[in-house]
Amino acid sequence: MENGIRIQKVLSEQGIASRRKVEEWITQGKIKVNGRPAVLGQKINPNRDVVAIDGERVYFQKSNQKYYIMLHKPRGYVTTMKDERGRKTVADLVRGCGARVVPVGRLDYNSEGLLLLTNEGGLAHDLLSPRHHVDKVYYARTDGTLDEEDSRAFAAGMTLG
């Protein structure tokens, strides 16, 4: 780690905030490293550098523990960590799990089913990136009756763009 790790990554892995939020704070001048304002992309050594957010020192935990949570997301929850409209989120369901985990993929507000959450960014990226071509299968149930053509289309499988 002689060159350090980007401050956004360190603070995100510590569960303090998302990388984007940390970048916001940096541009707003809220973060200092060793008494000086942080800059975007700045690398730090969490074992040596002193980081403060709004004047409050950040103490880094040394655990590299990876978390993988398989969650049955109920209807009425948004698959995000924070909702600007004040709806319940999957973050509410995993609060207190011991790490800042993020959802791998999405399920609609009115959908329910298996959702993976993790603090391992590399795994999340590999599963979601189109470059890695990880197939995903969804099952749907309808309240109405499908006609023959719709029935055949569903039975054959669909590719969503």
Side-chain angles (χ1 to χ4, degrees):
M1 183 179 20
E2 58 198 42
N3 295 328
I5 307 167
R6 282 177 297 128
I7 191 169
Q8 299 96 303
K9 179 177 168 88
V10 173
L11 293 176
S12 173
E13 286 178 349
Q14 289 290 311
I16 293 166
S18 70
R19 290 183 193 200
R20 286 188 188 129
K21 181 55 82 176
V22 172
E23 289 170 357
E24 241 178 74
W25 291 345
I26 290 171
T27 59
Q28 293 168 354
K30 293 182 174 191
I31 300 180
K32 291 190 176 182
V33 177
N34 301 323
R36 295 194 175 119
V39 295
L40 288 174
Q42 180 173 354
K43 293 186 177 181
I44 65 167
N45 180 333
N47 298 321
R48 183 185 66 226
D49 294 316
V50 176
V51 176
I53 302 173
D54 284 334
E56 189 173 325
R57 184 171 178 178
V58 175
Y59 292 93
F60 298 108
Q61 297 176 9
K62 303 205 184 281
S63 171
N64 288 330
Q65 178 74 36
K66 300 297 182 197
Y67 286 78
Y68 309 94
I69 299 172
M70 294 187 327
L71 172 74
H72 180 270
K73 184 196 94 59
R75 291 181 184 152
Y77 283 80
V78 185
T79 306
T80 186
M81 299 312 286
K82 186 175 182 185
D83 183 55
E84 64 281 350
R85 295 181 3 202
R87 297 174 292 184
K88 296 182 284 188
T89 70
V90 295
D92 299 328
L93 299 170
V94 296
R95 186 163 285 120
C97 74
R100 181 181 183 278
V101 294
V102 296
V104 180
R106 300 247 179 252
L107 289 174
D108 291 339
Y109 180 77
N110 288 319
S111 296
E112 64 180 270
L114 179 65
L115 183 65
L116 177 66
L117 295 100
T118 185
N119 66 342
E120 187 178 350
L123 173 67
H125 177 266
D126 288 349
L127 291 173
L128 294 174
S129 172
R131 187 174 46 173
H132 291 96
H133 305 291
V134 176
D135 289 334
K136 291 139 188 100
V137 177
Y138 300 90
Y139 295 94
R141 185 174 28 213
T142 174
D143 291 337
T145 306
L146 298 176
D147 63 26
E148 279 293 318
E149 185 178 333
D150 289 337
S151 226
R152 279 194 293 276
F154 272 99
M158 298 178 179
T159 301
L160 303 176

